[in-house]
Amino acid sequence: MPERTLRVAVVDDHPVFRLGMVGLLASLDGIEVAGQAENAAQALALVDEAVDVVLMDLHLGDDSGIETTRDLVRRLPGLAVLVITMDEDDESVVAAVRSGARGYLLKSASPTEVERGIRAVANGEMILGPQVAMRAMATLTSGRTAVRVPFPELSDREREVLDLLARGYDNATIARRMVLSPKTVRNHVSNVLTKLGVADRAAAMIKARDEGLGG
């Protein structure tokens, strides 16, 4: 019995890469291009139950691929999202996985790696590109020990925002590092100030550094 055709959507704001990926997918047996999108609104309008896999960039102009992934997976729990991006830092990988992505490849991946990744996530597997996997293994084997979590009243995401705030980063920089939209960062900062009972960013920074954040 032949395998069913996988319907794949491509979400990327760079037209040259997006069109190149569409061309690659069209050349692969058993894979059909379901459509393409360059921003979050187009992706949310395009992707439905008939789409099996979404290839997702993390930077979609003013939108965030992390938030778009979260919205899609929340609406379609069975959807497989494979991130393909230039970002190989640990924060981006962790954020993507937390948002519901099943795979993470760099844009330097070969056509064979892309095809393998698509078929793997469609089959329910988790896949990381070779460079990403090496970084993940290095982190796991680095011998880091558990430490007390400061500010337990904060969510993990809010604590990450506070840590970056304590380093002196502005909202735009925090948004870039966490692959979030500026609006989402502003909301997180507001929630952090409220939960910590402080009046402004400077007071939050002092309190955070006293607890060891921002190092």
Side-chain angles (χ1 to χ4, degrees):
M1 181 178 177
E3 294 184 2
R4 69 182 182 88
T5 298
L6 295 177
R7 302 191 75 244
V8 182
V10 181
V11 182
D12 195 295
D13 68 332
H14 291 91
V16 173
F17 181 84
R18 188 175 68 248
L19 293 173
M21 184 59 66
V22 167
L24 169 63
L25 298 179
S27 72
L28 300 176
D29 292 334
I31 291 179
E32 174 185 325
V33 178
Q36 51 183 300
E38 63 179 356
N39 55 44
Q42 290 181 9
L44 293 172
L46 167 68
V47 179
D48 56 21
E49 291 85 351
V51 174
D52 299 296
V53 178
V54 174
L55 301 185
M56 178 71 69
D57 189 14
L58 292 187
H59 301 283
L60 304 174
D62 292 332
D63 299 325
S64 162
I66 294 294
E67 294 177 50
T68 306
T69 296
R70 185 179 296 109
D71 290 342
L72 287 172
V73 173
R74 184 181 295 122
R75 191 180 71 188
L76 302 166
L79 181 68
V81 177
L82 174 61
V83 168
I84 300 188
T85 181
M86 296 292 292
D87 298 337
E88 57 180 309
D89 57 284
D90 296 340
E91 292 91 346
S92 295
V93 177
V94 171
V97 173
R98 283 179 174 172
S99 71
R102 294 186 190 171
Y104 198 105
L105 297 178
L106 299 182
K107 286 189 174 180
S108 57
S110 68
T112 300
E113 289 172 330
V114 172
E115 180 181 5
R116 185 186 305 124
I118 291 171
R119 298 191 189 281
V121 297
N123 195 41
E125 301 172 33
M126 173 67 73
I127 187 166
L128 299 177
Q131 303 97 317
V132 177
M134 287 178 62
R135 289 177 62 91
M137 286 302 298
T139 299
L140 290 172
T141 58
S142 63
R144 296 177 182 174
T145 56
V147 297
R148 180 181 67 85
V149 177
F151 307 112
E153 67 270 28
L154 302 181
S155 68
D156 289 343
R157 180 57 53 84
E158 290 166 348
R159 198 174 298 106
E160 290 177 49
V161 169
L162 179 59
D163 180 63
L164 294 175
L165 186 155
R167 300 185 197 186
Y169 295 143
D170 59 18
N171 284 4
T173 303
I174 294 174
R176 286 196 299 272
R177 289 182 66 91
M178 296 186 67
V179 203
L180 298 173
S181 69
K183 179 180 178 181
T184 297
V185 171
R186 286 197 301 272
N187 290 339
H188 282 316
V189 170
S190 177
N191 290 339
V192 167
L193 297 183
T194 298
K195 290 183 179 181
L196 296 187
V198 295
D200 52 34
R201 297 172 69 97
M205 180 183 296
I206 292 171
K207 199 164 186 176
R209 288 180 174 177
D210 287 343
E211 287 291 322
L213 296 183

